[in-house]
Each structure stands twice: as C-alpha cells, then as structure tokens.
Amino acid sequence: MREDEDMTAPATSPDPGPADTSPIGALSRLVQEANDSGISYQRMAERGIDGETGTTLPKQYFQKLVKQPPAKPPTPAQMRAIANAIEKSLRRIKEAVAAQWLEYEATELAGYGDETRIIVGHLSGMPESEKRRWRMMIEADERARREAED
C-alpha cells in the first residue's frame, strides 16, 4: 500500500444512485421511493397504523410528505405508522427524520451489536480532546490484550 493511500472505509457502503442527488429530504425520499416501487398513497394510508397508539395517517399525509413536507417532524407514533406504511424499519425512519429535519446523518455500524452503537453514539458528541483521550485508552487496552496473548 502506498503511503498516501487512505486506509479508512465507511462502516457500511452508502446506497448509490439518484437518491443521493435528490433535493428532497430523506423521509420524503423514502416515501417517494415506496410510491415509485408500486405502493400507492392509498395503500400507505391503509397500512400506516401505529400498533401502540392506533395513530393512523391519511393518504394526504404521505402525498404532502413528498410534495410539500411539513415544518415539524413526525411524532414517534407517526414514525411507527410510516414505517408500517412503507415497509421500512423504525430505525430507518428515525434516521431519515433526523436527516430531513435536524440535518443529522448517522453512520451505521453493522455487525458490532448494540453496545458498540451506544459507545460510538456517546463518543460522537464529545469534544476532540475527549475523543483523543478515549482513543488512547482503547488502544492501550488493545495493546495489553495482545501482549497478554503472546
């Protein structure tokens, strides 16, 4: 490997394609993609029910999400209804809501389990000096483990 090559890689590959260049928000894009794949707005409304609260969403809600998104993000009950309506995980809906209304993008860590996600989420909000301190502690622990195995 050359010295100037970058050895980093994302935890998961971003989805390629036209969705990355779309000017509409992430949740709006998910609803549009579901509609483009053959799920009508009426069908979304029929399936868009939150099992916990019974909250339902009318067909017009889904149409508006795509054409003229509301200023406020959906509530947790509405997010669960949307997840059911477009057959996406609640986690994916929450990520899309965060991206569209909070301009927050998360990187998925696949294959590491919930504990790692919690740790990474916690560290991501720290100042750089704190992150460096934690990185040094983790690296020291890894070195000690390798030495103990030898």
Side-chain angles (χ1 to χ4, degrees), residues 113-129:
D114 289 337
E115 289 299 315
T116 301
R117 283 195 260 300
I118 291 167
I119 292 166
V120 170
H122 179 73
L123 292 174
S124 70
M126 289 184 177
E128 282 303 314
S129 60

Side-chain angles (χ1 to χ4, degrees), residues 72-88:
K72 292 182 181 179
T75 66
Q78 289 172 322
M79 285 189 275
R80 290 187 295 267
I82 293 166
N84 290 333
I86 65 172
E87 299 179 324
K88 298 289 182 187

Side-chain angles (χ1 to χ4, degrees), residues 35-143:
N35 185 251
D36 291 346
S37 73
I39 304 173
S40 70
Y41 292 123
Q42 181 59 44
R43 183 72 179 127
M44 288 180 205
E46 292 165 3
R47 294 191 311 203
I49 301 168
D50 172 30
E52 290 181 31
T53 65
T55 297
T56 60
L57 298 171
K59 163 175 112 170
Q60 294 81 3
Y61 182 88
F62 295 101
Q63 291 170 323
K64 186 174 180 180
L65 263 175
V66 172
K67 305 273 187 237
Q68 190 177 17
K72 292 182 181 179
T75 66
Q78 289 172 322
M79 285 189 275
R80 290 187 295 267
I82 293 166
N84 290 333
I86 65 172
E87 299 179 324
K88 298 289 182 187
S89 70
L90 180 57
R91 169 190 234 136
R92 183 68 189 100
I93 299 304
K94 287 179 177 181
E95 289 171 354
V97 167
Q100 183 161 333
W101 277 272
L102 302 176
E103 297 179 5
Y104 176 80
E105 296 289 334
T107 300
E108 175 66 25
L109 295 173
Y112 294 100
D114 289 337
E115 289 299 315
T116 301
R117 283 195 260 300
I118 291 167
I119 292 166
V120 170
H122 179 73
L123 292 174
S124 70
M126 289 184 177
E128 282 303 314
S129 60
E130 281 293 300
K131 287 180 194 176
R132 277 192 302 275
R133 187 172 75 83
W134 278 94
R135 184 172 41 248
M136 290 185 327
M137 287 189 299
I138 292 167
E139 289 171 353
D141 179 66
E142 285 298 313
R143 276 192 304 274

